[in-house]
Amino acid sequence: MTLEDRAPKSAIDSGRSAADREWFERIVVELLSDLYGTALRLTRNRADAEDLVADSVARAWSHLDELADRARLRGWLFCILTNAFLSARRTDTRRGVQQSLDDENNDGFSLFEQLHAPILLWWSSPEKEFLNNLLREDLTRAVDALPEPFRVVVVLADIQGCTYQEIAETLQVPIGTVRSRLARARGQLQKELWTHARDAGLVGRKEMKVTTES
Amino acid sequence: MNEPHVIDCEEALRRLVEYLDAELHGESQRQMEQHLERCRSCFSRIEFEKRLKASTAELRHEPVPPELERRIRSLVDTFKC
């Protein structure tokens, strides 16, 4: 059951005008591609993503009076969507569905360092070639493979463009945690891209370079 | 005006993530920019990271299934005025 089913009619009645509803619908429809894209990266499932978008839209309308500046509806919708996802996941966590990050030993992994060949610098650039050949599906697969806490922080920072402060508030963690989690998440994302490219024969089958950079 | 404190590659790489996310400010950012003007290796690294981040940002756009758009429009129609 989704929020749109659950929400009592009284919760989404609020004496707003038809112009309000028209404005709201126009913005939502304009943003639908981005809302759905963000929801899909968070849930990794099309049906769940659609439910999440619909729930968020219903939630936004029922709480519209809390939005002081209507020019901020866009960011507010993404905030509601992310919080709705996190809220559902916290319930799952209480039920014991939790992913540990302890085993993810990818601190400091750098795709650039794997690809970069300084001796060829003047006549070749493997890293540029890699990016030129990078497919959306490769990146999607790599993001989807991240453990949830890493995926969420990548979605917030890289897909939604949130600041560290905004992420810290959303996740209710200190800014230092945001910074370190984001660094680890990107390290793992790049390792996924590298492993896939290597297995597909898109880059040389050389041994992974080990780095101690943090 | 004094020349800003010069940072080395090790320090530049430590600040890379925050620079990439526009979280460096003031003197710290100026030092980073000055280093990038002088260091081809770090400049290449930052350019690579910027492009990768921009590619990741593109994942936000996803074709909307027609049934989702219909569902949302129907949902909005239930919002009473």
Side-chain angles (χ1 to χ4, degrees):
Chain A
M1 183 184 280
T2 64
L3 185 72
E4 55 189 306
D5 302 320
R6 280 197 310 267
K9 289 291 178 193
S10 57
I12 49 181
D13 294 349
S14 60
R16 295 179 195 120
S17 69
D20 286 338
R21 190 173 68 183
E22 197 177 312
W23 160 80
F24 183 83
E25 181 173 9
R26 182 173 52 78
I27 302 290
V28 165
V29 170
E30 273 175 19
L31 291 177
L32 206 46
S33 166
D34 289 2
L35 289 168
Y36 179 59
T38 302
L40 196 52
R41 294 285 70 74
L42 288 170
T43 61
R44 298 183 294 184
N45 175 290
R46 292 189 177 273
D48 289 348
E50 291 185 20
D51 285 349
L52 181 59
V53 171
D55 278 1
S56 304
V57 168
R59 219 176 270 254
W61 179 260
S62 64
H63 292 276
L64 194 60
D65 293 341
E66 295 169 20
L67 179 66
D69 178 4
R70 289 196 168 191
R72 301 184 67 186
L73 176 64
R74 185 186 187 289
W76 193 62
L77 274 167
F78 282 101
C79 187
I80 287 174
L81 184 140
T82 307
N83 283 328
F85 172 78
L86 291 172
S87 172
R89 300 305 288 167
R90 283 186 193 113
T91 305
D92 288 344
T93 302
R94 281 196 291 276
R95 289 189 195 127
V97 183
Q98 190 167 21
Q99 269 185 294
S100 168
L101 302 179
D102 296 343
D103 298 334
E104 311 299 339
N105 185 24
N106 299 303
D107 289 5
F109 182 89
S110 163
L111 184 55
F112 177 85
E113 286 181 16
Q114 301 297 328
L115 297 166
H116 189 52
I119 199 164
L120 300 174
L121 190 63
W122 301 105
W123 60 88
S124 173
S125 178
E127 64 272 16
K128 282 185 188 164
E129 203 175 313
F130 180 91
L131 288 173
N132 290 341
N133 292 322
L134 182 64
L135 301 176
R136 179 185 171 93
E137 65 189 66
D138 298 331
L139 207 44
T140 301
R141 186 187 301 111
V143 171
D144 286 358
L146 292 174
E148 190 172 291
F150 285 173
R151 202 171 68 252
V152 167
V153 83
V154 164
V155 168
L156 289 170
D158 294 352
I159 297 182
Q160 290 190 28
C162 296
T163 64
Y164 289 0
Q165 182 65 40
E166 289 167 338
I167 297 172
E169 286 167 8
T170 301
L171 300 181
Q172 299 168 20
V173 297
I175 282 193
T177 303
V178 171
R179 191 182 295 113
S180 62
R181 193 177 292 179
L182 195 49
R184 293 174 69 197
R186 289 195 179 128
Q188 183 157 345
L189 178 69
Q190 295 193 5
K191 190 173 182 182
E192 292 283 349
L193 288 171
W194 165 259
T195 304
H196 175 70
R198 191 192 55 193
D199 293 349
L202 301 174
V203 293
R205 295 195 66 86
K206 57 186 177 182
E207 288 302 311
M208 223 174 259
K209 295 175 189 173
V210 177
T211 176
T212 56
E213 175 205 327
S214 57
Chain B
M1 191 172 177
N2 291 336
E3 182 82 352
H5 173 69
V6 174
I7 60 171
D8 59 15
C9 294
E10 195 178 342
E11 181 58 29
L13 288 180
R14 250 197 300 272
R15 297 182 190 181
L16 182 148
V17 172
E18 286 170 279
Y19 179 77
L20 190 66
D21 295 329
E23 295 279 347
L24 282 185
H25 306 286
E27 187 65 8
S28 191
Q29 184 179 359
R30 276 192 293 279
Q31 289 166 355
M32 188 72 174
E33 284 166 352
Q34 189 189 50
H35 180 81
L36 294 176
E37 282 170 12
R38 296 175 180 177
C39 178
R40 174 181 284 273
S41 174
C42 288
F43 177 79
S44 301
R45 169 80 183 263
I46 288 284
E47 287 303 299
F48 177 84
E49 301 287 347
K50 275 184 186 171
R51 280 190 62 192
L52 188 55
K53 184 176 172 176
S55 297
T56 308
E58 286 299 309
L59 298 184
R60 120 192 328 247
H61 308 298
E62 189 71 31
V64 179
E67 62 273 18
L68 175 60
E69 183 167 342
R70 280 196 295 274
R71 177 179 173 183
I72 296 299
R73 288 190 185 277
S74 300
L75 173 65
V76 173
D77 281 346
T78 68
F79 298 163
K80 291 187 178 167
C81 303

